Amino acid sequence: MFTLEKTNCRSHVHKCKTCINFHSRAAKEMDRNFRVAVVGAGAVGLSTALCIQDRIRNCDVTIIADQFSPSTTSDGSAGLWTPFLVPDDQREVVSRWALKTYHFLWDVFHSETACTYGVQLISGFNFCKEVQHDPPWSKQVKGFRRLSEEELKDYPGREYGIFYTAFTIDVPRLLSTFMKKFREQGGFVKAKKLGSLQEIESSFDVIVNCSGFGAAELLKDTKVKPKRGQVIRAKAPWIKHFYIDDIGDQKGDLTYILPGVDSVVLGGTSQDGNINTEDDQTDLDGIMKRCLKLMPSLKECKVQGTWAGLRPYREAVRLEIDRTSPGCKAKVVHNYGHGGSGLTLFWGCALDVSELVLNLLQSKKSRL
């Protein structure tokens, strides 16, 4: 049996010598290609498939999904790295996943491929209720500080806030690059809508479920709830910082202005139980009104498009080996329920999942 060797390699952008040595030893000791399926082709699914490819070289990985970019929920995301809609009792592990993703994005941004991935370093303002304690990630991100009273005077009605540097991601570019790398590294892709994981259990050694909101139907998981998001994409190149207003209105809708590579995302909504994925004019009008109040210069912006989709909220992100189906021919690992933080947690979660998969295959090999 081979063992997982800890390395300092944080990203998929490069291959460090330690990783190459690890892959070489692992490949020699695994005498056949194991078969792993990843269900789902959003940011969580594709990053998970890539991490498994990276860490387990004698392994055939297949992505199975009914929706691919540009039609995934990830594609409509504003793509800002910042923990959002995550459960309170998972703050420690969520912070760890978030920071691993932050480090991955940092490496990408400082590589020659930053444009290909659509990763942009950006600073901005997050207005909020009184800050009792700094968030657990505050000492890790760049430039974190609390806003001064003088700064807050420029934003009437906001009494507290923080400033920090994070990343925005052009998600379609990210997914396109991920898929290209996955195929180049020998990955397989199958377009199929699954009614259950049992449909494919006889074809794979391990199934990794990254189905997002689809898990509600696929697994009959009643803990997965839709959080409807509505956004506007506009051309406003003079907006250089992000702005987030966490205070919200009476309906709980938040206000955010997030500059990306090619457009500025104006939002948004967070509507419980609303499964409408069509544009709602009332929501669009409300978003524009709130954003104009926060940043009047958007009066001259040009609307480029709109989008509505369902965030896969769950009372706890499910990242674990499924031990409830001992008779299943394939082992199952779950990685879903990321709420509004899929683009904040995806790489950290993918690293954890790849280690779980590796451990399962080690165990399987030892019984052969």
Side-chain angles (χ1 to χ4, degrees), residues 75 85 136 145 191 211 254 265 278 350 354-355:
D75 284 282
L85 287 180
R145 60 180 173 80
S211 56
L254 306 178
V265 178
E278 300 296 324
S354 67
E355 187 162 351

Side-chain angles (χ1 to χ4, degrees), residues 72-292:
T72 72
T73 300
S74 295
D75 284 282
S77 167
L80 177 71
W81 181 98
T82 194
F84 176 61
L85 287 180
V86 293
D88 288 338
D89 59 357
Q90 283 190 306
R91 286 196 178 278
E92 184 174 340
V93 68
V94 163
S95 294
R96 180 170 63 80
W97 292 331
L99 288 172
K100 284 182 178 293
T101 305
Y102 188 93
H103 293 319
F104 167 75
L105 295 173
W106 185 269
D107 287 346
V108 170
F109 179 74
H110 287 86
S111 76
E112 296 177 353
T113 58
C115 181
T116 304
Y117 282 86
V119 175
Q120 176 180 354
L121 188 66
I122 188 170
S123 300
F125 303 80
N126 189 332
F127 305 105
C128 51
K129 297 178 181 178
E130 183 174 1
V131 182
Q132 298 292 340
H133 303 285
D134 291 339
W137 43 266
S138 62
K139 290 182 173 57
Q140 303 295 322
V141 301
K142 307 300 180 182
F144 180 93
R145 60 180 173 80
R146 298 193 185 196
L147 295 176
S148 67
E149 291 184 7
E150 190 65 28
E151 289 175 302
L152 289 166
K153 288 179 180 178
D154 291 328
Y155 306 96
R158 280 82 183 178
E159 297 182 1
Y160 303 94
I162 56 177
F163 183 95
Y164 56 95
T165 298
F167 296 92
T168 56
I169 307 167
D170 185 299
V171 183
R173 292 191 192 187
L174 179 80
L175 298 186
S176 175
T177 301
F178 275 177
M179 181 61 80
K180 183 173 183 290
K181 285 184 173 292
F182 176 74
R183 289 181 181 275
E184 287 175 348
Q185 294 177 174
F188 303 95
V189 178
K190 183 178 180 63
K192 179 180 176 62
K193 181 175 175 60
L194 298 177
S196 70
L197 297 180
Q198 284 67 41
E199 293 179 25
I200 58 172
E201 65 175 348
S202 62
S203 300
F204 298 96
D205 298 291
V206 177
I207 299 170
V208 183
N209 170 35
C210 303
S211 56
F213 184 63
E217 180 180 355
L218 187 64
L219 303 176
K220 305 299 184 289
D221 187 344
T222 58
K223 295 180 180 179
V224 180
K225 307 292 184 182
K227 290 266 191 181
R228 181 179 179 275
Q230 174 84 67
V231 299
I232 300 170
R233 293 186 182 273
K235 185 175 182 180
W238 57 90
I239 302 295
K240 302 299 184 184
H241 290 85
F242 67 79
Y243 301 86
I244 304 172
D245 191 346
D246 278 344
I247 298 174
D249 61 10
Q250 292 180 346
K251 295 191 302 181
D253 290 337
L254 306 178
T255 303
Y256 47 85
I257 301 168
L258 311 176
V261 175
D262 296 317
S263 62
V264 177
V265 178
L266 311 178
T269 64
S270 180
Q271 299 165 347
D272 293 335
N274 187 342
I275 60 173
N276 177 26
T277 57
E278 300 296 324
D279 288 333
D280 184 293
Q281 192 59 49
T282 300
D283 287 337
L284 293 172
D285 291 343
I287 289 170
M288 188 59 74
K289 181 179 179 180
R290 297 196 308 274
C291 288
L292 282 171

